[in-house]
Amino acid sequence: MDLYTPSADSGLFNLLGKLFALGRAVDATRTGNVWTKRQALEAVLDLAPQLQTAIISHDAWDAAGAALHNQIVAAAQSLIRRYIEEKNFTYRTLNQALEVIRSDLVAGGYYFTASTKSLTVTPGAANQGDALIAVSDRNGYGEPVWIYPETINLKSDGTRLTVSGARASTLGRGDRNWPQGSGAYFTIPLASLNQSLLANPGLETTSAANTPDAWTIHTGTPGTTIVITEPEQQQIAITGNPTGGYFVLTWTDPLGKVWHTTPLGPAPTTSDIQAALRGIPGLAAVTVSGTNPFTVIFEDTPGDIAHLQVINRLTGGTNPQVTVTTTRAGDVLSYRGRSLKLVGNGSEQTTLYQPVRLSPGRVYLFFARARRSSSATGTVNFELRRSISDTALADSAGNVKVFGFIVSDPFRTGIFLPSFPVRQAG
């Protein structure tokens, strides 16, 4: 068998071309009748009789979709095997066969034009928080390869984040079906704000309204272009003087799961309600104050959270009721209860500074989280400077320690930047 024949239509790539054309036709008619495609494939196989054994039954060939494609691939691989064996070579693996064919193509002056494809990375609708996916679309020879959908699973036990992908591929990097799965599996210890090198890293502690402690506002107006968001605040009122029974508070988390508190008696204390609410995942930092009505502040709870609901089983008194009202809604764009909100006015370049002390010989990791409103534009820059009046520092390779991102990018909700190896000068 020749690599290619201009007229007889019996060369390897003549036949492969027919198979690939058939595959495209099947793609276009996955839910339709594939009888004509089966006929076309049989016509191709007439040129390679030994492949007839690949046809198990007419029913198998009549089934549209992946099963038919698998048989087309099997037929193509059989053609490649036939080509190798007719050269009096022993067929061992598809990878080795493709290497022989590649060498023959080069020797014959053949070449392939570049192929193109586009990739779209779309976050799942149920995602909560940030995700960054790195996609590779070339095999070990630098050639384009098939990319298969893969779900990256993340699970936290409160101290570690475990990342696991699809099973690792057993194929070599030269196989057209590589990678079939990243096989990614690793754990990352979770860092808390109190481990940060910054003082007041969450920008939440304030001694003056909308002015974060330990931060210097170089450019910006507190309360106007710089705002500290406040966490959700709700009020629980018990009326009717109940003497018995109980009530239960329920809360719906961001994933839509409904959680229940333990039953609360007719005359609960502040501590009773706080302990019951803190038993719900996601509400571990809530604070409760006051005495009927009780004020609930949802510290460290992201966004404009769901309203508490009540299952009322109180008895006695006069028509006892438990009423919950929202006295201050949380900010829908806040990752936690409090955060820094930058409000652009179209001209101001808002700037905040904080001093940090770095140690020689240590490598630091920069981590920040940001969300934007739908109309926000511009750029947010993070810089390492020796002082406010200096320009951004550069490392020994001349790389300036500045990281910026365009806020209009809808996927830029997480920022990870390895940076700042510090070396003792002189």
Side-chain angles (χ1 to χ4, degrees):
M1 178 185 291
D2 295 326
L3 275 174
Y4 172 74
T5 55
S7 58
D9 229 13
S10 60
L12 174 61
F13 281 92
N14 300 84
L15 302 180
L16 290 177
K18 290 179 181 292
L19 287 173
F20 297 154
L22 175 61
R24 287 195 299 269
V26 172
D27 275 339
T29 56
R30 276 187 176 274
T31 58
N33 189 346
V34 297
W35 174 258
T36 56
K37 281 69 182 177
R38 183 183 66 81
Q39 290 177 316
L41 182 59
E42 287 181 338
V44 173
L45 297 181
D46 284 341
L47 297 172
Q50 73 275 22
L51 298 185
Q52 291 291 345
T53 56
I55 302 179
I56 300 172
S57 67
H58 286 292
D59 291 340
W61 290 104
D62 285 341
L68 182 53
H69 273 290
N70 288 339
Q71 297 191 54
I72 292 173
V73 171
Q77 291 177 350
S78 295
L79 283 173
I80 292 173
R81 183 179 187 122
R82 173 186 169 185
Y83 176 84
I84 296 298
E85 290 175 344
E86 288 188 2
K87 291 174 67 70
N88 292 323
F89 292 159
T90 299
Y91 181 90
R92 291 185 174 85
T93 66
L94 180 60
N95 279 359
Q96 290 176 330
L98 292 175
E99 279 294 320
V100 173
I101 292 173
R102 184 187 66 82
S103 298
D104 290 350
L105 287 169
V106 173
Y110 294 100
Y111 65 93
F112 291 101
T113 57
S115 61
T116 60
K117 72 177 185 305
S118 60
L119 299 173
T120 302
V121 179
T122 305
N127 277 3
Q128 299 294 317
D130 307 317
L132 182 63
I133 301 177
V135 178
S136 174
D137 63 348
R138 291 186 179 274
N139 62 17
Y141 301 106
E143 301 163 339
V145 294
W146 291 97
I147 297 295
Y148 292 95
E150 179 179 357
T151 299
I152 304 295
N153 296 305
L154 295 93
K155 183 178 180 180
S156 172
D157 62 3
T159 60
R160 298 177 303 169
L161 181 68
T162 301
V163 180
S164 58
R167 65 174 180 82
S169 174
T170 57
L171 303 172
R173 289 178 60 86
D175 195 293
R176 69 176 294 275
N177 291 315
W178 180 88
Q180 287 193 329
S182 67
Y185 184 86
F186 56 91
T187 59
I188 303 173
L190 297 179
S192 59
L193 285 177
N194 59 14
Q195 294 175 291
S196 175
L197 191 66
L198 300 174
N200 190 19
L203 300 157
E204 295 181 344
T205 305
T206 59
S207 54
N210 296 300
T211 302
D213 290 347
W215 289 82
T216 299
I217 300 177
H218 184 268
T219 305
T221 304
T224 303
T225 57
I226 296 176
V227 177
I228 303 295
T229 64
E230 293 294 333
E232 177 99 5
Q233 180 175 292
Q234 297 180 18
Q235 192 174 79
I236 302 172
I238 303 172
T239 58
N241 298 313
T243 57
Y246 65 91
F247 70 95
V248 173
L249 297 172
T250 71
W251 182 65
T252 304
D253 67 18
L255 294 177
K257 184 173 182 179
V258 179
W259 300 89
H260 300 74
T261 66
T262 55
L264 293 160
T269 65
T270 298
S271 298
D272 293 337
I273 297 177
Q274 179 172 287
L277 288 173
R278 287 188 175 185
I280 294 177
L283 301 185
V286 299
T287 61
V288 180
S289 60
T291 304
N292 197 19
F294 302 92
T295 298
V296 182
I297 299 178
F298 292 83
E299 299 283 1
D300 290 347
T301 307
D304 184 6
I305 70 169
H307 195 72
L308 289 174
Q309 302 295 319
V310 180
I311 299 174
N312 183 12
R313 297 292 183 268
L314 294 173
T315 60
T318 305
N319 188 28
Q321 298 292 324
V322 180
T323 305
V324 180
T325 55
T326 297
T327 53
R328 181 180 64 211
D331 190 290
V332 68
L333 296 181
S334 179
Y335 274 110
R336 298 198 324 281
R338 291 185 175 88
S339 59
L340 178 69
K341 184 177 182 179
L342 302 179
V343 183
N345 60 11
S347 60
E348 178 183 286
Q349 292 186 348
T350 306
T351 308
L352 293 94
Y353 293 97
Q354 182 177 146
V356 295
R357 184 178 295 276
L358 306 180
S359 300
R362 178 173 294 181
V363 177
Y364 294 89
L365 176 71
F366 175 84
F367 170 60
R369 305 180 76 175
R371 290 186 65 178
R372 72 181 184 97
S373 67
S374 59
S375 60
T377 60
T379 302
V380 174
N381 289 326
F382 297 89
E383 301 180 355
L384 181 65
R385 299 182 175 215
R386 193 179 306 276
S387 68
I388 292 178
S389 60
D390 288 341
T391 58
L393 293 173
D395 60 21
S396 58
N399 301 309
V400 179
K401 297 288 99 177
V402 176
F403 178 73
F405 69 91
I406 301 173
V407 254
S408 59
D409 178 359
F411 299 109
R412 182 66 72 178
T413 55
I415 309 157
F416 297 84
L417 179 67
S419 62
F420 320 150
V422 179
R423 184 175 59 191
Q424 182 71 49

